[in-house]
Amino acid sequence: DIPMTQSPSSLSASIGDRVTITCQASQDINTYLNWYHQKPGKAPKLLIYGASNLETGVPSRFSGSGSGTHFTFTISSLQPEDIGTYYCQQYASLCSFGQGTKLEIK
Amino acid sequence: QEQLVESGGGVVQPGRSLRLSCAASGFTFSNYAFHWVRQAPGKGLEWVAAISYDEQNKGYADSVKGRFTISRDSSKNTVYLQMNSLRPEDTAVYFCGRDRVTFEMYNWIDPWGQGTLVTVSS
């Protein structure tokens, strides 16, 4: 098991803001890192795979970067539909998720 | 379209068993690995178990190892999660998800089912 630490646990931002979430792995996971978005009562939705690859159909305002133990997820210009909770997930050794970042509109 | 539908959730007493099912459609079932991921009320996602495309490899979270068993039936295009010795802390929505990459295990999960609620309570 590889614990994943996400930060912040929650954040509030305005429409149009640049939003950044970080995910830290307890050991080197190369680029075996994905990002998901979940709205209340719904299943998670894949946004980024392999640390930096944008899933087909996902808007280009979403991006991911990083390798090894430190990863970053960015929304370049926050939109109202982006509210919800974001999770990182490692797949270098079995699977594990970060604790989530709840994003709200200010 | 590619679809996963979970079933089998419900209310069960501590110490009892329950089996969840995940019916797949819209793709070649035998080419993919599958995962179970759960979410306790108001909490984050927790990976539970995975099974390879050929059933030869299985993985479990430490929290369920020895109590839960994942399996699959290609004749029914269905994945199962047998949950024994259930505890109140197993209360959660259980999601089934498909690994995206064919003939591999532990990649990114897509698509997901809608989830089924398991409540462990006396």
Side-chain angles (χ1 to χ4, degrees):
Chain A
D1 183 24
I2 299 178
M4 305 297 292
T5 304
Q6 249 180 272
S7 62
S9 57
S10 66
L11 72 97
S12 181
S14 300
I15 299 301
D17 280 356
R18 183 181 184 88
V19 171
T20 299
I21 299 169
T22 64
C23 188
Q24 184 114 8
S26 59
Q27 63 190 72
D28 188 339
I29 60 168
N30 200 322
T31 56
Y32 300 134
L33 192 284
N34 307 315
W35 292 95
Y36 299 85
H37 176 218
Q38 186 184 34
K39 294 189 175 182
K42 299 294 186 180
K45 176 188 175 184
L46 176 69
L47 300 177
I48 302 285
Y49 62 92
S52 61
N53 299 288
L54 190 67
E55 167 69 346
T56 301
V58 173
S60 59
R61 65 180 181 274
F62 297 99
S63 65
S65 65
S67 66
T69 61
H70 188 78
F71 301 86
T72 301
F73 173 82
T74 300
I75 306 173
S76 61
S77 178
L78 185 65
Q79 299 303 303
E81 59 268 31
D82 298 339
I83 61 168
T85 304
Y86 291 82
Y87 295 93
C88 62
Q89 174 232 333
Q90 68 80 21
Y91 56 102
S93 176
L94 300 181
C95 290
S96 54
F97 288 89
Q99 74 271 29
T101 297
K102 187 175 182 180
L103 175 57
E104 298 176 330
I105 302 294
K106 192 181 294 182
Chain B
Q1 76 280 20
E2 300 178 338
Q3 190 174 16
L4 301 173
V5 179
E6 302 95 334
S7 60
V11 181
V12 61
Q13 293 180 328
R16 303 299 289 267
S17 299
L18 200 64
R19 189 179 79 160
L20 305 182
S21 300
C22 170
S25 61
F27 59 92
T28 304
F29 179 81
S30 58
N31 289 356
Y32 294 93
F34 289 86
H35 301 257
W36 286 97
V37 175
R38 68 184 180 183
Q39 186 168 36
K43 302 298 184 182
L45 301 173
E46 180 187 15
W47 177 81
V48 173
I51 186 167
S52 62
Y53 70 97
D54 59 0
E55 205 170 5
Q56 294 304 298
N57 292 297
K58 302 177 184 180
Y60 298 93
D62 288 343
S63 58
V64 306
K65 199 176 296 182
R67 299 188 299 124
F68 290 11
T69 301
I70 189 171
S71 62
R72 60 190 293 160
D73 184 340
S74 293
S75 68
K76 297 181 179 179
N77 283 5
T78 300
V79 181
Y80 302 99
L81 186 68
Q82 177 67 42
M83 304 184 294
N84 299 331
S85 303
L86 282 162
R87 306 167 179 168
E89 55 265 37
D90 295 319
T91 293
V93 172
Y94 284 74
F95 294 100
C96 172
R98 191 199 71 186
D99 207 283
R100 172 64 76 79
V101 181
T102 55
F103 306 115
E104 290 189 9
M105 194 174 177
Y106 303 122
N107 291 282
W108 40 103
I109 301 172
D110 180 77
W112 296 65
Q114 83 289 350
T116 186
L117 176 62
V118 173
T119 302
V120 184
S121 173
S122 54

